[in-house]
Amino acid sequence: RKSLEYYSKSDEVINSFKLEDLTYYSALNLGDVYDRLNIPDSAYIYFTRALTIAKQLKDGDLIGTAMTGLGHTFLKLKDFANARVNYQAAITYLKAANDDEILCEAALGIAKLFQQTNQPDSAVHYARFSQNLAKADGFLKMNLQSSKFLADYYKKQKNIDSAFAYINEVQAVNDSINSKARITEAQIITSNEQLR
């Protein structure tokens, strides 16, 4: 909620002063915040604005990122057809742009879509793709989310071996994230001491 307040103020300044270079990112950030707050109608408005700007710029990476956001929004609205169209187009754009981080997010998004529409084979395919890519590129948060998705899927299927393997992956990634957080905390304390 606090970030929404600041992003909204930022958007006003960007629009007032016609700071063209920042309009896409402002719209995308506001769409992302509304998506995280589970307010899909507002998320749709801002992701659509971001997509329009990205198309004017003819930037495939920006188009794919905005379409990923729209995929999330349509999934929350249970508009599965539009969610699928946006996710699939986003994946094509993001692969072409070599944006592996957002590609992981789009792949996991379409995996959730396939899970909700009772297409488990496709759901597992895209979740594994997301997890493998995240693991290879060191995207810990996306690795964690994909691994949790797969662990939950295999638990429901009563496939104990696979569920156990992904639960172990979740634990290992959690440990890495917590370790990095502790290192960052220690660095901040050290910096504060030096400043003092």
Side-chain angles (χ1 to χ4, degrees), residues 4 28 38 75 79 90 117 124 144-145 156-157 165 184 192:
L4 177 58
L28 188 74
N38 288 316
L75 186 59
D79 183 345
T117 55
V124 169
L144 181 64
Q145 289 175 30
K156 286 176 189 163
Q157 297 300 310
T184 303
N192 288 344

Side-chain angles (χ1 to χ4, degrees), residues 97-110:
N98 292 317
D99 187 342
D100 288 352
E101 190 167 12
I102 306 298
L103 179 56
C104 288
E105 187 180 329
L108 185 58
I110 202 167

Side-chain angles (χ1 to χ4, degrees), residues 14 26 72 104 163-164 169 172:
I14 288 165
S26 180
H72 298 336
C104 288
F164 184 71
E169 181 69 22

Side-chain angles (χ1 to χ4, degrees), residues 7 9-30 46 49-50 53-54 57 62:
Y7 279 135
K9 287 177 183 176
S10 171
D11 194 53
E12 286 173 28
V13 172
I14 288 165
N15 290 323
S16 310
F17 290 96
K18 294 181 174 37
L19 303 172
E20 302 292 326
D21 293 350
L22 299 175
T23 54
Y24 169 82
Y25 297 101
S26 180
L28 188 74
N29 288 334
L30 281 162
Y46 286 102
R49 186 195 297 175
I53 296 165
L57 295 170
L62 302 183

Side-chain angles (χ1 to χ4, degrees), residues 108-167:
L108 185 58
I110 202 167
K112 290 174 183 176
L113 165 68
F114 283 129
Q115 182 184 44
Q116 288 184 37
T117 55
N118 296 316
Q119 298 174 70
D121 291 344
S122 296
V124 169
H125 168 76
Y126 279 101
R128 281 186 181 153
F129 173 78
S130 177
Q131 197 255 352
N132 289 334
L133 189 58
K135 194 172 184 178
D137 287 356
F139 303 134
L140 293 177
K141 287 183 182 176
M142 284 311 305
N143 188 358
L144 181 64
Q145 289 175 30
S146 301
S147 297
K148 278 183 180 176
F149 178 93
L150 289 161
D152 290 343
Y153 170 79
Y154 284 116
K155 270 195 265 183
K156 286 176 189 163
Q157 297 300 310
K158 298 189 179 356
N159 184 332
I160 305 304
D161 291 343
S162 295
F164 184 71
Y166 284 108
I167 288 168

Side-chain angles (χ1 to χ4, degrees), residues 8-78:
S8 297
K9 287 177 183 176
S10 171
D11 194 53
E12 286 173 28
V13 172
I14 288 165
N15 290 323
S16 310
F17 290 96
K18 294 181 174 37
L19 303 172
E20 302 292 326
D21 293 350
L22 299 175
T23 54
Y24 169 82
Y25 297 101
S26 180
L28 188 74
N29 288 334
L30 281 162
D32 188 48
V33 170
Y34 279 116
D35 179 54
R36 290 169 192 260
L37 291 171
N38 288 316
I39 307 172
D41 294 342
S42 296
Y44 172 79
I45 291 166
Y46 286 102
F47 283 134
T48 302
R49 186 195 297 175
L51 180 59
T52 302
I53 296 165
K55 284 181 175 177
Q56 289 167 354
L57 295 170
K58 297 179 180 168
D59 186 318
D61 190 15
L62 302 183
I63 292 169
T65 303
M67 292 187 97
T68 299
L70 281 168
H72 298 336
T73 301
F74 284 121
L75 186 59
K76 284 183 178 167
L77 292 168
K78 305 285 185 206

